[in-house]
Amino acid sequence: MDQEKFSAKKSARRSSAKTNEGSKRSKPSAGSQKNLLKAGLYLVATPIGNLQDLSLRGIEILQNVDVIACEDTRVTGKILSRHAIDTAMKAYHEHNAKRARPGLLRIIKAGGAVALVSDAGTPAISDPGFRLVNECILQGLEITAAPGANAAITGLILSGLPTDRFLFAGFLPAKSKQRTQELAGLAEVPATLIFYESAKRLAAALADMAEQLGDRPAAVTRELTKLHEEIRRGSLSELSNHYQETGAPKGEIVIVIGPPLKKAALTEAKLDELIRQALPDNSVRDVAAELARETGVAKRQIYARALELAKK
Ligand code: SAM
């Protein structure tokens, strides 16, 4: 799609924008005339597993935009063919985003309509879509969204953990040292935490989570909306032990972790008492790890206090 091709359509699109709003359009058959959409970027959520999970409006937009920017044309192609959509696709992913972005912006500036989809779920969540959205805003271009499936929210609502306040933290670093540091920074956040994680790192990530966040209730939600959907609930250490024993499960995973455990019953004096009892026979490091597991207080907080008490 180049600029010249879209220049001619520009005025038609502009004038059609109002009449199209809220109007019903019939489904164009393959190769038929598209209904003109207002120029801009359309963020369209696609399924996270079950191909039925695409909104009616999402289908309509995907049928009528000039081009669909997607991470992997094979993945998106399956969704399109399931819904008999024959719109052209353009690859827009982590590795070509910088190169591909100007072309997509040119199409919109020339009066075109571009849909952005990710491999699964809501675009711009843990993919390069954010930068395209940002660039549209900077250049004063229209953006709208057809919301729908999202793995983080689906995992959260199925976890049974508090939903009133949550923090989506995306993917943690793959290496334990950096992961530990990032988790330490989240230990005091008074909210349910949501992470995306790969199956092969699951057990190790859960072990680091138990150590840094305290042994909180959690849920490993796997293969959401798919045939083998599974929600496994338990404390972080129970879940970590389970996956250490069974090995890496198959499929895609969202980890949901409850907010910090209520510490009201555990006064500072009581925590000091527990530390003093444990110190004579254990290293400061072991005391911190053990009491973090028992009390749910962050390990680094206990470690700092145990260091102080050990010097006295
Ligand atoms: N944009 C997507 C969304 O709205 O959820 C997420 C994209 S992110 C690159 C991909 C990650 O989402 C996967 O590694 C996995 O952690 C999670 N995910 C995607 N589909 C999932 C599913 N059906 N079940 C569990 N987790 C899923």
Side-chain angles (χ1 to χ4, degrees):
M1 300 285 167
D2 56 13
Q3 185 146 357
E4 293 73 46
K5 206 166 167 188
F6 279 89
S7 305
K9 290 186 181 175
K10 198 170 182 176
S11 57
R13 289 193 182 288
R14 290 252 164 87
S15 60
S16 72
K18 267 193 184 149
T19 50
N20 273 342
E21 266 166 20
S23 69
K24 288 196 176 152
R25 296 175 211 127
S26 58
K27 179 179 162 185
S29 57
S32 71
Q33 181 79 36
K34 285 176 184 286
N35 288 306
L36 288 178
L37 287 173
K38 195 174 170 185
L41 180 68
Y42 293 75
L43 306 172
V44 180
T46 54
I48 56 169
N50 189 321
L51 293 184
Q52 303 272 77
D53 293 336
L54 177 55
S55 75
L56 296 174
R57 185 164 157 255
I59 294 173
E60 190 177 30
I61 290 171
L62 294 178
Q63 277 167 339
N64 289 301
V65 288
D66 299 291
V67 66
I68 299 170
C70 57
E71 290 183 88
D72 184 330
T73 52
R74 284 163 307 178
V75 173
T76 301
K78 277 190 199 149
I79 299 168
L80 299 189
S81 81
R82 168 71 181 77
H83 295 281
I85 298 167
D86 63 351
T87 306
M89 290 180 277
K90 233 180 193 330
Y92 179 71
H93 48 69
E94 202 60 54
H95 306 291
N96 79 342
K98 209 170 168 188
R99 263 180 293 124
R101 211 159 32 241
L104 296 171
L105 293 166
R106 266 200 304 277
I107 292 173
I108 301 171
K109 280 191 252 178
V114 173
L116 176 70
V117 302
S118 76
D119 271 357
T122 299
I125 300 296
S126 297
D127 70 29
F130 156 76
R131 290 189 287 274
L132 183 60
V133 171
N134 202 250
E135 203 52 49
C136 283
I137 294 167
L138 290 174
Q139 300 197 19
L141 302 173
E142 290 281 335
I143 321 172
T144 190
N150 168 254
I153 296 293
T154 310
L156 172 69
I157 60 173
L158 289 172
S159 70
L161 294 163
T163 54
D164 53 340
R165 187 192 280 203
F166 57 86
L167 184 143
F168 170 64
F171 288 98
L172 283 166
K175 296 210 171 113
S176 185
K177 191 173 171 218
Q178 286 92 323
R179 187 165 60 219
T180 299
Q181 278 168 359
E182 200 157 318
L183 285 167
L186 295 169
E188 306 296 329
V189 175
T192 294
L193 304 175
I194 309 173
F195 299 93
Y196 289 158
E197 190 50 273
S198 80
K200 71 174 195 298
R201 282 196 290 272
L202 179 62
L206 288 167
D208 286 348
M209 287 165 171
E211 200 167 290
Q212 295 303 317
L213 305 176
D215 200 10
R216 303 184 193 179
V220 171
T221 70
R222 193 170 67 82
E223 294 290 87
L224 295 165
T225 76
K226 301 185 199 174
L227 188 61
H228 297 293
E229 177 177 282
E230 180 191 50
I231 318 294
R232 184 168 288 276
R233 302 177 183 87
S235 73
L236 281 169
S237 64
E238 283 165 356
L239 292 168
S240 162
N241 291 340
H242 171 80
Y243 289 107
Q244 252 147 32
E245 277 164 26
T246 60
K250 287 201 166 66
E252 297 190 285
I253 288 161
V254 178
I255 303 175
V256 187
I257 303 174
L261 301 172
K262 293 252 180 302
K263 294 170 206 149
L266 188 70
T267 58
E268 276 183 24
K270 180 68 186 163
L271 183 61
D272 281 2
E273 188 188 321
L274 292 173
I275 294 171
R276 282 200 182 94
Q277 280 169 2
L279 267 178
D281 304 320
N282 299 287
S283 68
V284 168
R285 194 184 153 86
D286 288 348
V287 168
E290 186 51 36
L291 289 182
R293 257 192 296 278
E294 277 175 24
T295 64
V297 176
K299 187 178 147 194
R300 66 194 169 96
Q301 187 186 331
I302 302 177
Y303 185 86
R305 184 65 185 145
L307 266 185
E308 278 173 27
L309 292 178
K311 282 182 205 149
K312 283 184 184 168

